[in-house]
Amino acid sequence: MIKYIFITGGVVSSVGKGVSAAAIGKLLKERGFSVSIQKLDPYINVDPGTMSPYQHGEVFVLDDGSETDLDLGHYERFIDTSLNAVCNVTTGQIYSEVISQERRGDFLGGTIQVVPHITNEIKRCIGLVPHTTKAEIIIVEVGGTVGDIESLPFLEALRQMRSDVGRENTMYVHVTWLPRIGATGELKTKPTQHSVRELRSIGIQPDVIIARSDYVIDKNLCDKIALFCDVDARAVIPLTTCSILYEIPLILEQEGLGGIILDRLGLKQRQRPDWLDLERLIAIERSARPNVRIALVGKYVELQDAYMSVREALRHAALAVGVEVEILWLHSAELEKGKGWKKLESAHGVIVPGGFGSRGIEGKIAAARFARQEKVPYLGLCLGMHVMVIEFGRHVLGSESVNSTEFDRNTPHPVIDLLPEQVSVSEKGGTMRLGLYPCQLVPGTLAKKAYHKSLVEERHRHRFEFKNSYLEIMGEHGMVFSGLSPDGRLVEIVEISDHPFMLGCQFHPEFLSRPNKPHPLFRAFLERVAVKAKVLTQAVPNEVTEAAE
Ligand code: GLN
């Protein structure tokens, strides 16, 4: 029998519901269960792919090319399992499906209503998760906060699930926030009580309350929440904000949440959780490590969530290399105005992450020029690769008019151009080259040394590509094409030969990095950064292994 854990949020949003869901997944996976996690997003967009990162943070891409909420990144990083399209459902998807059924005449003249038609479709989408992922325990997180107009149909569907699949197979976890009142310094439980009351008015009684706060939460407060909200005292789990994200499963474990969930769902632990790996990573994260500075040159830097997976991938690589990364967030449009250069010059490495549109693009090109000329390690992710190619064209090949047709349609030298299959595409949603594609690595290159493999698969999200008519001339001037699609048609990775590490990839390696499995390109980049910072004397990524291959 499939078991479901439903996670709702109360009081305010952004209190760490996604990380709590991911951490609960980890508790169960460690006990020997196969777990999948789904996010139900109440907004009306079909997916976040068309939304500005300012609105929604990063768009996380899955193997199958789905463009999803950034919480799916947390889920994959915590449970180390690749998720699929059914793991992110929005109101937009639900309504599109129901309306197209209605247009086909599937409802035989009936009136289409939120209950039961919309709620049935929500339940059908939840049911697709065990069906397609074969997981035994499905964790379902509802975005937003209880009380939001948009989330009502989702909560009603979750309520109905209790009788559909049985009380013993469903449990409800409510994540709330305890505000601190300045005058007395007290943490307040009243908003939590109200949000639980709101949840109960919908017909959902939480089995567990995770109480979040920036301050230490006293046991008495948990008892008070238990009393007022009618939840077992041991099922009120205090969760104070901690600086080490990957410690959260351990904190929940210490609070006994793993056992509480198994008891509630009538499950027997299959194996003892083994936390050694995670404890080792946390110990490294706690230890004093030499500091390296990486300039992240982007256009959404005011909202760091827009680069969530890049930040996490750097964190994972830092644990493996044994350094502490300080990210210098640099706005590319500021560089254009001559601001922020001191910071850039103080960096031991430069990352230009993905992005769209021309705002700030010249600042990114200037940052790439700086990295190339000063031999500062550079990692270009998707747009960051385009920027690297444009810069090389302009300043090594010597033609200022070199550009991508994304930024100048009429450039005489379109070194980056639309993918041929994109030429006739006009719709914006879900139409890019998306998801996992193979990449063949060329022997003797930085990329090949980093991966120790000949063929890799990486996640993509782009419309533009390197234009092959420039292969020869760029190659003659020192650009190395170190990764290609297996048919040789598409450039996937470029490098610069007389540079310690200047590499750009057409894909997004950050989406596949996991805490205990740092991505090879991030790791190789960070090793060079550490050499630049004089923290490491040599960065020779396992030449032995490569020779043995
Ligand atoms: N805007 C570029 C493209 O569409 C890069 C996309 C990205 O960085 N993800 O190809």
Side-chain angles (χ1 to χ4, degrees), residues 423-540:
V423 176
S424 56
V425 173
S426 59
E427 277 207 13
K428 289 282 177 278
T431 55
M432 283 186 251
R433 179 171 180 258
L434 289 165
L436 221 50
Y437 285 95
C439 164
Q440 188 86 42
L441 302 168
V442 175
T445 58
L446 285 176
K448 178 76 170 45
K449 283 186 190 135
Y451 280 103
H452 310 308
K453 270 188 193 171
S454 302
L455 189 69
V456 294
E457 286 194 301
E458 292 284 357
R459 294 181 182 177
H460 294 71
R461 181 172 187 248
H462 66 120
R463 289 186 208 286
F464 293 82
E465 61 163 347
F466 182 93
K467 196 165 174 74
N468 287 341
S469 48
Y470 291 91
L471 274 171
E472 203 177 317
I473 181 151
M474 293 233 176
E476 282 165 6
H477 285 79
M479 183 161 271
V480 178
F481 302 96
S482 53
L484 299 170
S485 56
D487 62 4
R489 203 196 61 72
L490 196 132
V491 173
E492 290 277 6
I493 312 178
V494 301
E495 299 173 10
I496 286 174
S497 52
D498 63 342
H499 192 285
F501 192 102
M502 186 148 191
L503 182 147
C505 49
Q506 183 54 80
F507 46 83
H508 291 273
E510 66 271 24
F511 293 145
L512 290 181
S513 181
R514 306 272 161 92
N516 56 347
K517 291 183 220 149
H519 191 282
L521 292 182
F522 274 87
R523 185 182 178 150
F525 165 68
L526 208 55
E527 280 173 349
R528 298 290 164 163
V529 169
V531 172
K532 176 87 185 162
K534 301 198 170 49
V535 168
L536 271 186
T537 45
Q538 222 190 350
V540 193

Side-chain angles (χ1 to χ4, degrees), residues 85 99 208 217 246 256 359 396 447 462 491 493:
I99 291 170
V208 168
I217 303 160
Y246 298 106
R359 180 169 65 94
V396 179
H462 66 120
V491 173
I493 312 178

Side-chain angles (χ1 to χ4, degrees), residues 3 145 211 214 327 424 516:
K3 306 284 182 178
T145 310
D214 281 339
I327 301 182
S424 56
N516 56 347

